[in-house]
C-alpha cells in the first residue's frame, strides 16, 4: 500500500471533486440548450397502462405518507385523534339544533293551525252574527207586520163599532138633516159627533150616542181652555195675555190659536194640580152632565198627578164629548152650564126652555178672555183649514194618543157673539188629528149656516175682544216659518218667533197701520210661502167702552186690513 503525504492527498481530492463537478455541470447545460422534443403520441392501451401505473404509484405514495405521518409526526397524529374525538360533540350540537328546528316547526304548525281555527271561529261567529242580525231583522219585520195587522184590525174594530153604534142611535127629536150631514162628514172614520144648542142644551143630533155619552176620551189640548181660565182667574195671566212676571213673550191668544204647550205648562206649574182640578170641575169636567140618557160616564180627573203635561196634554184626564160641549158653551154664553137633553116627545122637541145646572162662578172677563184665542184657532191657527172663520166659529183642537190610538178633537161654538150651536167632534185612528175633527165640524157648520144669523157671523163682534187684532199680520220673512200642518200635544210644534209672539197691533183710526216687532238679524230668515200665510183676511173688532155705538162700517180699502165694526 502506497502512502501519500497529506498535502498531496488533499490536492488529489480537490482535483477529483472538480472533475466530478465539471462532469455533472456540462451535460446539464447542454441539455438546457437543446430544444425539447415533443413526445410521440401514445396509443390508447399505452395511456391506460400509464394511468394504471400513476394510480398505483399514488396509492403507494398515499400509504407511505400515512405511514410517515404516523411514525414521523406524533403531534399531528395526536391532533388527528383529538379531532376524531371532537366529531361526536359536533354531532350532538347538530342534534340539538335539529330538535330546536323540529320544535320550531311544530310550534309554527301549531300556530298555523291555531290561526286557521281562530279564523274559522271568527268566520263562524261572523256568520252567526249575520244570521242573528238577519233573524232579528226578520223578527222585527214580522213584529211590525203583526203590529200593523193588529193596528188595522183594531182600527177596523173601532170603525165597525162606530157603524154598529150609529145604527142603534135613538134619533127621536133630532134634526135628521143635520144628522145626515154629520154622518156624511164623519164618513168611514171611527168617531162621534155632538151638535147641541148652546143656550138651551137641546141636542140637535148626536152621532154614535154610546161614545158621546158613555165613553171617556183623553181631551188632549182642549184642556188648555181650563188652564187658560184658571190662569186668568188666579192672576197668573195678565190682561194682555202674558204670563205674569215673564216680561213678554207669547200671549194667550196666540198660545191658544197655535196650541203652544210650553206656555200652558208654565202657567200650570204655578197653578198646581189641585187648582187645575178645581177649575175643571167648575167647567163641568169630572161629573155627569145630567142628560136624560142612562149610563152617562162622569169622566176622570188627574188626582195625584203633578206632571206639567196635565196642563197642556191632559194626562190622566178623561172627558165625554158631551162634557166638552157643555164646557165651551159655558165659556161662550156667560158662564151658565146648561143640562143637555134629548127631545123624546113632541112637547120636548118644541120647547126651547133651558135647564141650567149651575154657573162657572167666575168673573165673566176671566173666562171669556179665552175666546179670542179660540177664534184665532179658526182664523190662523190649528183649525184654520177645517172651518170657515167667517161664520164666527170659536174652537180648540186637540191631537194626542189615548187608549192605544190617535185621538183628534175639536170643541167649538158659533157664532161667538151670541152662540147658537156647539159642535164637538172626536175621531180615533192612526191618521186622526185635531185638524181632521175641525174639518168635520166645518161641514156641519155649513149645513147650519141658514140657522145662524148671517149678519151676526159676518160681524164677529164680541165685547171681550175689543180692538185686539184677531188675525195677526206677520212679516213676509220670519226667523222660523210655522209649518203647514201645525199640531199640538204629541206632535212637535215650531216655537213661535219674536215677530210671532209680539203680536202686531193696530191703532184705531183710518190712518193706522200695523206695527211689527223687528226681526233679529242674527237669525237665519226663512221666506214664508203663500200657503203659510193666514187663510182668512185680517179682522179688527173695535168696541166702545162707554157703551156708545161705534160708527157704521166703512167700505173695505184695497191694501189695508179688513176692519169690521159693530152696527148700530
Amino acid at each position: 500500500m502506497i502512502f501519500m503525504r497529506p498535502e498531496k492527498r488533499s490536492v488529489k481530492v480537490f482535483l477529483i471533486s472538480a472533475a466530478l463537478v465539471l462532469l455533472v455541470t456540462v451535460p446539464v447545460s447542454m441539455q438546457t440548450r437543446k430544444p425539447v422534443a415533443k413526445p410521440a403520441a401514445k396509443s390508447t392501451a399505452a395511456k391506460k397502462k400509464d394511468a394504471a401505473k400513476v394510480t398505483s404509484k399514488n396509492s403507494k405514495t398515499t400509504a407511505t405518507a400515512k405511514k410517515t405521518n404516523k411514525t414521523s409526526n406524533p403531534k399531528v397524529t395526536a391532533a388527528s385523534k383529538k379531532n376524531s374525538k371532537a366529531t361526536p360533540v359536533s354531532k350532538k350540537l347538530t342534534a340539538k339544533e335539529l330538535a330546536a328546528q323540529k320544535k320550531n316547526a311544530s310550534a309554527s304548525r301549531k300556530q298555523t293551525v291555531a290561526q286557521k281555527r281562530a279564523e274559522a271561529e271568527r268566520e263562524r261567529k261572523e256568520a252567526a252574527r249575520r244570521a242573528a242580525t238577519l233573524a232579528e231583522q226578520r223578527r222585527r219585520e214580522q213584529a211590525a207586520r203583526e203590529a200593523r195587522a193588529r193596528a188595522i184590525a183594531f182600527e177596523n174594530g173601532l170603525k165597525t163599532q162606530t157603524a154598529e153604534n150609529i145604527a142603534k142611535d135613538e134619533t127621536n127629536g133630532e134634526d135628521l138633516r143635520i144628522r145626515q150631514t154629520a154622518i156624511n162628514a164623519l164618513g168611514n172614520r171611527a168617531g162621534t159627533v155632538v151638535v147641541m144648542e148652546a143656550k138651551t142644551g137641546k141636542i140637535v143630533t148626536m152621532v154614535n150616542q154610546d161614545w158621546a155619552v158613555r165613553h171617556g176620551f183623553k181631551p188632549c189640548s182642549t184642556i188648555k181652555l181650563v188652564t187658560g181660565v184658571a190662569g186668568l182667574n188666579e192672576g197668573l195671566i195678565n190682561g194682555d195675555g202674558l204670563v205674569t212676571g215673564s216680561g213678554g213673550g207669547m200671549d194667550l191668544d196666540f198660545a191658544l190659536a197655535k196650541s203652544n204647550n210650553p206656555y200652558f205648562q208654565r202657567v200650570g206649574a204655578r197653578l198646581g194640580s189641585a187648582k187645575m182640578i178645581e177649575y175643571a170641575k167648575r167647567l163641568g169636567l169630572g161629573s155627569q152632565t145630567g142628560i136624560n140618557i142612562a149610563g152617562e160616564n162622569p169622566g176622570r180627573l188627574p188626582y195625584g198627578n203633578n206632571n206639567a203635561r196635565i196642563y197642556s196634554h191632559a194626562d190622566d184626564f178623561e172627558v165625554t164629548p158631551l162634557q166638552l160641549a157643555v164646557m165651551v158653551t159655558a165659556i161662550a154664553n156667560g158662564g151658565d152650564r146648561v143640562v143637555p137633553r134629548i127631545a123624546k116627545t113632541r112637547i120636548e122637541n118644541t120647547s126651547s126652555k133651558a135647564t141650567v145646572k149651575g154657573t162657572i162662578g167666575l168673573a165673566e172677563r176671566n173666562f171669556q178672555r179665552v175666546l179670542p184665542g179660540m177664534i184665532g184657532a179658526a182664523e190662523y191657527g190649528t183649525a184654520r183649514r177645517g172651518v170657515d172663520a167667517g161664520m164666527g166659529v170659536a174652537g180648540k183642537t186637540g191631537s194626542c194618543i189615548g187608549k192605544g190610538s190617535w185621538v183628534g178633537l175639536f170643541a167649538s161654538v158659533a157664532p161667538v157673539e151670541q152662540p147658537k150651536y156647539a159642535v164637538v167632534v172626536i175621531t180615533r185612528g192612526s191618521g186622526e188629528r185635531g185638524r181632521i175633527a175641525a174639518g168635520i165640524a166645518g161641514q156641519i157648520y155649513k149645513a147650519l149656516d141658514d140657522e145662524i144669523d148671517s149678519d151676526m157671523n159676518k160681524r164677529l163682534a164680541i165685547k171681550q175682544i175689543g180692538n185686539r187684532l184677531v188675525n195677526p199680520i206677520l212679516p213676509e220673512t220670519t226667523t222660523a216659518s210655522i209649518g203647514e200642518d201645525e199640531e199640538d200635544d204629541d206632535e212637535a210644534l215650531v216655537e213661535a218667533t219674536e215677530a210671532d209672539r209680539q203680536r202686531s197691533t193696530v191703532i184705531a183710526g183710518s190712518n193706522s197701520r200695523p206695527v211689527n216687532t223687528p226681526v233679529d238679524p242674527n237669525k237665519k230668515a226663512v221666506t214664508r210661502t203663500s200657503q203659510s200665510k193666514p187663510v182668512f183676511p185680517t179682522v179688527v173688532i173695535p168696541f166702545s167702552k162707554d157703551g156708545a155705538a161705534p160708527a157704521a162700517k166703512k167700505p173695505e180699502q184695497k191694501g189695508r186690513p179688513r176692519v169690521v165694526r159693530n152696527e148700530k
Side-chain angles (χ1 to χ4, degrees), residues 64-82:
T64 304
K66 286 182 179 181
K67 186 176 180 180
T68 303
N69 291 334
K70 185 175 181 181
T71 57
S72 64
N73 198 349
K75 292 183 178 181
V76 174
T77 304
S80 300
K81 289 181 179 180
K82 188 175 181 180

Side-chain angles (χ1 to χ4, degrees), residues 16 72 97 250 255 413 527:
I16 293 171
S72 64
E97 291 176 356
M250 184 180 294
V413 293
T527 303

Side-chain angles (χ1 to χ4, degrees), residues 37 41 97 133 376 387 389 393 494:
E97 291 176 356
T133 302
V387 297
V393 178
V494 178

Side-chain angles (χ1 to χ4, degrees), residues 230-344:
L232 288 164
N233 200 61
E234 294 293 326
L236 303 176
I237 302 174
N238 62 28
D240 293 328
L242 303 175
V243 178
T244 303
S246 63
M250 184 180 294
D251 66 7
L252 177 62
D253 300 349
F254 198 84
L256 281 171
K258 293 292 184 178
S259 197
N260 184 270
N261 295 320
Y263 178 95
F264 293 97
Q265 289 178 2
R266 286 194 296 270
V267 174
R270 300 181 183 184
L271 180 67
S273 61
K275 286 285 186 181
M276 182 70 175
I277 292 173
E278 176 187 338
Y279 282 94
K281 287 180 177 180
R282 289 190 180 190
L283 290 168
L285 306 183
S287 61
Q288 295 179 343
T289 64
I291 191 172
N292 53 342
I293 294 179
E296 182 181 8
N297 188 334
R300 185 178 68 180
L301 299 174
Y303 290 102
N305 190 338
N306 296 312
N307 192 291
R309 286 174 57 91
I310 67 173
Y311 313 109
S312 57
H313 294 69
D315 287 1
D316 283 348
F317 273 98
E318 276 191 10
V319 301
T320 64
L322 203 59
Q323 287 174 335
L324 290 178
V326 171
M327 181 180 75
V328 293
T329 56
I331 291 173
N333 65 16
D336 293 334
R337 289 202 339 246
V338 297
V339 178
R341 60 184 179 83
I342 295 178
K344 296 183 177 181

